[in-house]
Amino acid sequence: MAEEVSTLMKATVLMRQPGRVQKIMGALRKGGGDRLQISPYGHAASSNWTEGAPHQYLGPYPPQASDSPVISDFDMTLSRFAYNGKRCPSSYNILDNSKIISEECRKELTALLHHYYPIEIDPHRTIKEKLPHMVEWWTKAHNLLCQQKIQKFQIAQVVTESNAMLREGYKTFFNTLYRNNIPLFIFSAGIGDILEEIIRQMKVFHPNIHIVSNYMDFNEDGFLQGFKGQLIHTYNKNSSVCENSGYFQQLEGKSNVILLGDSIGDLTMADGVPGVQNILKIGFLNDKVEERRERYMDSYDIVLEKDETLDVVNGLLQHILCQGDQLEMQGP
């Protein structure tokens, strides 16, 4: 398997059951060889987006679209965790650290982070024990943000002035999925407006992308007044928050799924998708690696330890699509 997919030879790759990975990859590859000749989408990325919560893309996928969609987290999965030894911002951090947030609010948000983040990643607590704490954290943070008189037009500038970074190899990842009509479902507990703007500014916001996230709700004067729909946090990323979106309708009939995440909570992102037979779960282990390594290896098929690139994912896509060396690597 590793010989066939050279990126699995990277030192950052951990696999508990290589045989299981090989079996799933075989199924994904079998379903992927006949879609290489499908032409890309022909309409603008924004033309079929509608206001709603969770936010959803309503444009139909072509009837010959891939049988192997990608379901991915965003913060610290598609975006970087660190660069040159320094932590990169999440979609919330981008807003927290911006000029439009008061110093007092920033201190309160930082205090919330220091209190709740250790709970979020605590390997000794069950998800059930963590749930009320996550709801408290997100709710308190949202309430603080709503007091800041944030205006809709400010979002693009905030992203432009931030240190937001996607993982190395992101152009190849996004463009490969788009050109092969592979749907990319981003399921994020972050701020949808921010992450969508990041992808737009990186010029890879293609119409095969469907986002479910916490989207801001602005009043008639353009000021933030709340967040749309049900709160999405780290540990409720499943069908319970997607009942009113097109998320699972779009996934219906997809027998193979590639799942990308960086937390144990991301493992449920495909829960509720009808008819799924094979799921390849790839997890980015970014932080507290020693104490969390075993749990991740038990939960994910492939674990990428302190790997700030999408090299392995791109290599696997190349293998599944039977493209050999033809996959164009578009750095960074």
Side-chain angles (χ1 to χ4, degrees):
M1 180 64 182
E3 288 75 13
E4 294 178 9
V5 186
S6 60
T7 54
L8 291 179
M9 299 291 288
K10 287 188 68 175
T12 58
V13 175
L14 301 173
M15 289 183 286
R16 178 79 79 202
Q17 301 181 60
R20 170 181 163 81
V21 173
Q22 183 171 7
K23 182 179 179 180
I24 297 173
M25 285 291 294
L28 296 179
R29 184 179 172 95
K30 184 177 180 180
D34 60 355
R35 51 179 198 265
L36 295 180
Q37 302 303 316
I38 301 172
S39 61
Y41 297 82
H43 47 74
S46 60
S47 62
N48 285 313
W49 288 86
T50 186
E51 295 296 329
H55 204 60
Q56 55 183 304
Y57 173 74
L58 296 182
Y61 290 109
Q64 292 181 302
S66 163
D67 189 44
S68 301
V70 175
I71 302 176
S72 181
D73 173 50
F74 183 79
D75 288 320
M76 312 304 146
T77 297
L78 296 181
S79 68
R80 282 180 179 263
F81 177 80
Y83 182 68
N84 288 338
K86 185 178 180 181
R87 281 291 301 267
C88 292
S90 68
S91 55
Y92 276 103
N93 296 149
I94 288 171
L95 197 56
D96 299 350
N97 299 330
S98 70
K99 295 185 295 187
I100 66 175
I101 301 297
S102 70
E103 189 59 34
E104 180 181 354
C105 180
R106 187 174 295 112
K107 288 179 180 179
E108 292 187 62
L109 290 167
T110 300
L112 291 177
L113 173 67
H114 290 162
H115 176 73
Y116 288 106
Y117 180 63
I119 297 174
E120 178 188 343
I121 67 171
D122 186 349
H124 305 297
R125 299 192 194 215
T126 66
I127 290 178
K128 186 176 180 180
E129 290 172 330
K130 294 178 180 183
L131 279 174
H133 298 284
M134 298 301 100
V135 173
E136 285 179 9
W137 184 8
W138 261 255
T139 301
K140 290 178 179 178
H142 285 183
N143 289 339
L144 285 170
L145 292 175
C146 289
Q147 297 170 17
Q148 294 300 294
K149 296 183 178 180
I150 296 169
Q151 294 181 275
K152 189 171 185 177
F153 76 87
Q154 295 175 308
I155 299 302
Q157 189 62 28
V158 164
V159 171
T160 300
E161 295 174 351
S162 75
N163 295 318
M165 298 183 71
L166 298 181
R167 289 185 185 269
E168 184 178 336
Y170 74 88
K171 288 183 180 178
T172 296
F173 173 75
F174 281 93
N175 291 339
T176 297
L177 296 182
Y178 171 58
R179 289 169 180 168
N180 289 284
N181 284 352
I182 301 176
L184 171 59
F185 293 86
I186 297 176
F187 202 159
S188 174
I191 301 178
D193 309 76
I194 299 288
L195 67 89
E196 184 176 318
E197 185 62 29
I198 293 170
I199 300 171
R200 287 185 189 280
Q201 292 192 14
M202 297 294 184
K203 302 187 186 307
V204 287
F205 191 78
H206 302 307
N208 63 319
I209 296 174
H210 175 116
I211 300 172
V212 175
S213 188
N214 296 303
Y215 272 83
M216 294 174 158
D217 185 20
F218 296 93
N219 63 25
E220 293 180 357
D221 297 320
F223 289 96
L224 178 65
Q225 63 179 1
F227 284 78
K228 300 173 182 177
Q230 186 173 341
L231 175 71
I232 302 175
H233 58 73
T234 306
Y235 294 112
N236 72 340
K237 297 166 75 171
N238 52 51
S239 58
S240 67
V241 296
C242 294
E243 294 175 356
N244 297 321
S245 79
Y247 182 73
F248 287 102
Q249 286 83 352
Q250 294 280 14
L251 284 171
E252 190 171 358
K254 306 299 184 184
S255 58
N256 302 319
V257 171
I258 300 170
L259 184 148
L260 310 177
D262 77 307
S263 78
I264 297 301
D266 291 331
L267 291 162
T268 65
M269 291 189 296
D271 287 6
V273 180
V276 173
Q277 298 176 7
N278 303 289
I279 302 181
L280 182 65
K281 299 178 180 179
I282 304 171
F284 290 87
L285 179 52
N286 300 309
D287 196 18
K288 310 289 184 184
V289 296
E290 295 296 332
E291 60 189 81
R292 298 202 288 169
R293 182 182 294 122
E294 292 302 312
R295 179 83 184 276
Y296 272 58
M297 289 185 68
D298 288 339
S299 304
Y300 283 99
D301 299 305
I302 300 172
V303 176
L304 304 177
E305 187 173 304
K306 287 190 172 294
D307 188 336
E308 293 295 341
T309 77
L310 288 167
D311 290 348
V312 171
V313 178
N314 287 334
L316 293 173
L317 285 172
Q318 174 179 314
H319 177 74
I320 291 166
L321 294 168
C322 308
Q323 290 180 327
D325 297 326
Q326 297 176 18
L327 185 62
E328 182 182 355
M329 303 304 291
Q330 302 159 30

